[in-house]
């Protein structure tokens, strides 16, 4: 065998169909030659190709899969100019938040709303704009970390506000908030943080929003999950059972919160953003804060959210993929599973995921393969998308709830190629 390395050009040309831009291929080829492993350049290029963002099939049964970008929401964007900050009425400068703020205010049945990059920036902006160098009363039971290092005490410190701890880990009552507000004269806000991704069970008590509404400082509720209305006004059938107990933005505001914050890529089912909704004077202060500019979304996200809001207001829930997936009946899924001519149809449980509704399971149906082929599925093929499946007891499970029915044939083909 020839021990001299081929030229960089030759190696790069051999991978020109990989989808990786040439300058990156040159880099990989040089490293491979340096290491004397040019015959294994394929592996390097393949590994790089897998790092690139690409469409995948979510067969995990986790509706809001954090590693798959939570909610899937299709965007149609031509790239043409949009009136992002131009008021077409007057021809002068407008606000990128105006119409969308109006839509979210209407959806939440409140005075005003604005949109930022995610719920973490919503919380950070509110604390910076409304509580800088002031105290914020938070229950010891809500001093939490919400995935990926978003720790409530750290965010508070970053904003320049300071923490006034209230109550105990398992029990916090209205009197505890009252006492701490009286003891610290510069408490300027109460913040309630929804236990999105964990549960405290047993000997517990926490103050309700309605008990704290009259304490004379703004009451901010981070509800996180983005359920607009506990009654799901957009669904003819009302809320599904598994949603019971999840706080809605409408209800939290109606009970007396001055502001709610939530993510738009969880139960709302949209692209990544954070919503701040509530009293107009408080929203105004957030909009005016210099930090607001640093966390403002661009036209891509804003137009996409606008489309989502229209779907909610027009009650076109079947066009919101999250709700369509969540409400597909088990019978329908079983029917699809039985049409697969490969693998074993099997009853499964889907979960909402995305750090929402811990412990909730939604009965589902899927396909079981009696050994672990998750790696092969993830590889995909030239014609078929990578499939992300679940492995339990060395069996591969593909939950059909999170797979669009139009992709069933593709999944079947991939399974046949692998098995
Ligand atoms: C998910 C969540 C967050 C963080 O939201 P991001 O949009 O991921 O930044 C904050 N608070 C609560 C209560 C949450 O559930």
């Amino acid at each position: 065998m020839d021990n001299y390395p081929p030229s960089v050009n030759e190696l790069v040309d051999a991978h020109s169909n990989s989808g990786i831009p040439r300058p990156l291929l040159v880099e990989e080829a040089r490293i491979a030659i340096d290491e004397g492993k040019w015959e294994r350049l394929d592996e390097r290029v393949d590994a790089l190709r897998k790092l690139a963002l690409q469409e995948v099939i979510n067969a995990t049964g986790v509706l809001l899969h954090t590693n798959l970008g939570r909610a899937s929401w299709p965007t149609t964007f031509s790239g043409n100019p949009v009136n992002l900050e131009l008021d077409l009425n007057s021809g002068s400068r407008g606000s990128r938040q105006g119409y969308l703020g109006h839509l979210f205010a209407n959806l939440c049945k409140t005075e005003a709303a604005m949109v930022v990059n995610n719920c973490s920036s919503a919380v950070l902006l509110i604390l910076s704009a409304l509580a800088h160098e002031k105290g914020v009363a938070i229950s010891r039971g809500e001093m939490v970390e919400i995935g990926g290092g978003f720790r409530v005490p750290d965010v508070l410190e970053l904003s320049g506000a300071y923490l006034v701890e209230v109550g105990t880990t398992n029990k916090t009552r209205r009197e505890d908030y009252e006492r701490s507000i009286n003891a610290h004269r510069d408490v300027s806000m109460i913040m309630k943080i929804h236990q999105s991704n964990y549960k405290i069970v047993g000997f517990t008590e926490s103050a309700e929003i309605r008990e704290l509404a009259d304490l004379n400082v703004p009451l901010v509720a981070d509800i996180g999950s983005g359920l607009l209305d506990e009654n799901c006004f957009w669904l003819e059938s009302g809320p599904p059972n598994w949603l019971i107990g999840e706080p809605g933005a409408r209800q939290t505001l109606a009970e007396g919160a001055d502001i709610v914050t939530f993510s738009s890529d969880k139960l709302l089912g949209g692209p990544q953003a954070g919503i701040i909704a509530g009293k107009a004077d408080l929203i105004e202060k957030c909009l005016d804060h210099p930090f607001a500019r640093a966390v403002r979304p661009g036209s891509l996200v804003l137009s996409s959210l606008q489309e989502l809001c229209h779907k909610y207001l027009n009650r076109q829930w079947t066009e919101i993929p999250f709700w369509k997936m969540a409400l597909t009946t088990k019978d329908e899924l079983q029917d699809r599973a039985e049409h697969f001519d490969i693998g074993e149809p099997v009853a499964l449980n889907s979960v909402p995921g995305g750090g929402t509704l811990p412990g909730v399971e939604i009965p589902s149906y899927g396909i079981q393969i009696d050994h672990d082929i998750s790696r092969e599925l993830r590889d995909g093929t030239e014609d078929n998308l990578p499939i992300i499946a679940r492995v339990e007891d060395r069996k591969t499970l593909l939950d059909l709830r999170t797979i669009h029915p139009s992709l069933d044939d593709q999944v079947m083909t991939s399974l046949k190629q692998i098995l």
Side-chain angles (χ1 to χ4, degrees):
M1 205 170 76
D2 184 2
N3 277 330
Y4 290 102
S7 74
V8 169
N9 263 340
E10 232 173 292
L11 281 174
V12 166
D13 286 344
H15 291 89
S16 58
N17 290 330
S18 64
I20 303 291
R22 197 169 175 93
L24 268 64
L25 288 176
V26 168
E27 222 170 66
E28 293 303 319
R30 289 206 172 117
I31 296 170
I33 291 170
D34 282 352
E35 292 177 351
K37 293 181 183 159
W38 60 87
E39 270 145 15
R40 294 173 63 182
L41 181 59
D42 277 354
E43 287 168 36
R44 295 192 67 94
V45 172
D46 196 47
L48 193 59
R49 198 178 50 78
K50 284 188 181 137
L51 288 178
L53 288 181
Q54 54 205 285
E55 285 183 19
V56 298
I57 294 175
N58 176 7
T60 62
V62 181
L63 277 78
L64 305 166
H65 199 297
T66 306
N67 297 351
L68 305 179
R70 293 190 186 150
S72 53
W73 172 246
T75 51
T76 44
F77 195 69
S78 66
N80 289 327
V82 294
N83 56 335
L84 184 63
E85 292 198 340
L86 178 76
D87 182 344
L88 292 177
N89 292 296
S90 62
S92 56
R93 178 89 184 242
S95 155
R96 70 176 65 207
Q97 301 276 359
Y99 181 66
L100 194 55
H102 191 65
L103 289 174
F104 272 110
N106 187 291
L107 282 166
C108 297
K109 294 252 172 288
T110 188
E111 294 173 12
M114 67 180 287
V115 182
V116 294
N117 281 334
N118 47 41
C119 190
S120 313
S121 15
V123 172
L124 189 53
L125 175 59
I126 287 168
L127 291 169
S128 310
L130 306 177
H132 186 73
E133 291 180 345
K134 304 227 176 75
V136 177
I138 302 182
S139 161
R140 289 195 169 87
E142 296 172 12
M143 231 80 84
V144 298
E145 171 172 326
I146 305 157
F150 179 81
R151 299 184 140 195
V152 172
D154 296 346
V155 175
L156 227 94
E157 197 180 313
L158 193 61
S159 72
Y162 71 86
L163 185 59
V164 175
E165 298 185 23
V166 179
T168 62
T169 304
N170 57 334
K171 291 210 172 201
T172 306
R173 305 183 182 88
R174 178 191 147 95
E175 299 85 79
D176 297 320
Y177 285 96
E178 220 168 355
R179 206 174 310 122
S180 77
I181 291 172
N182 292 336
H184 298 80
R185 267 187 300 136
D186 57 354
V187 167
S188 67
M189 180 190 291
I190 295 174
M191 185 156 219
K192 289 274 295 168
I193 295 131
H194 177 50
Q195 301 177 355
S196 299
N197 57 359
Y198 69 104
K199 262 184 183 163
I200 298 182
V201 294
F203 188 59
T204 65
E205 191 175 334
S206 66
E208 304 284 334
I209 294 285
R210 74 176 78 81
E211 297 177 72
L212 305 177
D214 62 349
L215 287 176
N216 288 326
V217 291
L219 174 57
V220 174
D222 176 15
I223 60 169
S225 302
L227 179 64
L228 288 173
D229 172 18
E230 289 166 26
N231 301 318
C232 297
F233 72 85
W234 57 94
L235 302 177
E236 305 92 7
S237 58
N241 285 334
W242 45 265
L243 262 186
I244 304 282
E246 183 63 24
R250 279 189 183 182
Q251 285 71 21
T252 307
L253 288 160
E255 282 167 20
D258 297 296
I259 282 191
V260 294
T261 59
F262 52 91
S263 301
S264 64
D265 53 356
K266 295 183 181 171
L267 300 178
L268 194 72
Q272 181 196 302
I275 316 300
I276 306 176
K279 293 267 160 66
D281 57 331
L282 301 178
I283 302 285
E284 196 66 36
K285 282 188 188 151
C286 291
L287 281 167
D288 286 345
H289 192 272
F291 189 54
R293 188 186 173 97
V295 294
R296 66 181 193 179
S299 49
L300 209 84
V301 166
L302 296 174
S303 352
S304 156
L305 271 176
Q306 174 179 300
E307 200 181 319
L308 179 68
C309 288
H310 285 177
K311 300 269 185 242
Y312 271 103
L313 290 167
N314 294 329
R315 301 180 184 200
Q316 293 162 308
W317 66 271
T318 55
E319 292 173 32
I320 304 173
F322 171 76
W323 289 106
K324 181 74 182 147
M325 269 184 204
L327 298 179
T328 304
T329 63
K330 188 180 162 189
D331 286 352
E332 204 175 318
L333 297 169
Q334 180 170 2
D335 203 45
R336 276 168 59 195
E338 281 163 1
H339 275 89
F340 270 64
D341 50 8
I342 189 160
E344 207 56 48
V346 60
L348 297 170
N349 282 312
S350 312
V351 295
T356 69
L357 299 157
V360 164
E361 292 188 330
I362 309 170
S364 184
Y365 233 86
I367 300 294
Q368 176 178 301
I369 308 295
D370 60 12
H371 57 287
D372 182 354
I373 55 163
S374 58
R375 199 199 149 80
E376 290 85 343
L377 285 169
R378 228 171 37 238
D379 278 343
T381 63
E382 213 159 288
D383 305 314
N384 295 315
L385 299 174
I387 299 169
I388 317 301
R390 203 157 87 203
V391 178
E392 272 170 29
D393 300 329
R394 294 211 219 99
K395 295 182 182 2
T396 308
L397 304 172
L398 296 101
D399 189 325
L400 293 182
R401 181 176 295 285
T402 49
I403 301 176
H404 194 275
S406 67
L407 294 169
D408 283 1
D409 284 345
Q410 210 185 105
V411 173
M412 237 183 295
T413 312
S414 291
L415 286 175
K416 282 180 195 159
Q417 282 171 1
I418 292 167
L419 293 172

